[in-house]
Amino acid sequence: MELPDFMNYSNKFSKRDFVEKIARIAKSAGAKLVYAALILYYTLQSPKVSATNKAMIIGALGYLISPIDVVPDAIPIAGLADDLGVLVFVLKKVWTDVDPDIQVKARQRLAKWFDEDEIEEINELFMGESGIKKKDE
């Protein structure tokens, strides 16, 4: 899958819109997408993150929020797959800026929307070639 130029979506991002969208799509989007989005959202708030990485995060979260993207969100499953692809791509790029406490905070938020079986899906983000390497790897 070729990623869209998600940086064109940076003007679509706002904290309020992000929170509203995540709350609205949480169950249908799945734990992996929500976890990736939350990690990026919390990482964006860190003063340790470079301006370049913040710009990438804002672009990715703007892409998630925007109703107009490569595959419309209204299309079941596929509609959010491109969003997940963009989020994971940016998450890999900024992973060195993700503190363990951010991961804990994101997981705690997930617990409000998902049961433990659903939360286990997030481990797939950290496995294999397509996953994200943990900080200690």
Side-chain angles (χ1 to χ4, degrees):
M1 173 175 87
E2 187 175 322
L3 290 176
D5 185 5
F6 59 87
M7 292 305 293
N8 289 333
Y9 292 85
S10 59
N11 64 338
K12 304 286 186 203
F13 175 75
S14 76
K15 289 182 180 182
R16 188 190 83 230
D17 290 345
F18 172 78
V19 171
E20 287 176 7
K21 173 105 182 202
I22 287 296
R24 187 175 67 250
I25 68 165
K27 277 297 200 181
S28 63
K32 286 189 281 190
L33 183 142
V34 173
Y35 185 64
L38 288 170
I39 287 178
L40 290 174
Y41 177 74
Y42 294 139
T43 299
L44 179 64
Q45 298 171 27
S46 171
K48 300 176 190 175
V49 179
S50 71
T52 301
N53 283 353
K54 283 187 178 192
M56 280 195 299
I57 292 170
I58 288 170
L61 295 178
Y63 186 82
L64 173 66
I65 292 168
S66 176
I68 302 169
D69 52 27
V70 174
V71 182
D73 293 347
I75 299 173
I77 301 171
L80 294 172
D82 64 319
D83 295 330
L84 179 60
V86 167
L87 295 175
V88 170
F89 174 81
V90 172
L91 196 51
K92 286 181 181 184
K93 295 287 188 186
V94 303
W95 190 246
T96 56
D97 289 332
V98 178
D99 289 330
D101 60 317
I102 288 173
Q103 295 174 53
V104 169
K105 189 175 181 179
R107 192 175 181 106
Q108 288 171 339
R109 175 61 80 171
L110 278 183
K112 294 181 179 188
W113 291 317
F114 298 95
D115 62 34
E116 193 56 41
D117 290 343
E118 293 169 313
I119 292 173
E120 287 302 313
E121 291 178 13
I122 68 172
N123 294 329
E124 294 174 19
L125 286 173
F126 302 99
M127 297 176 151
E129 243 348 89
S130 62
I132 301 159
K133 294 187 181 217
K134 293 185 180 181
K135 278 195 163 185
D136 56 356
E137 292 182 324

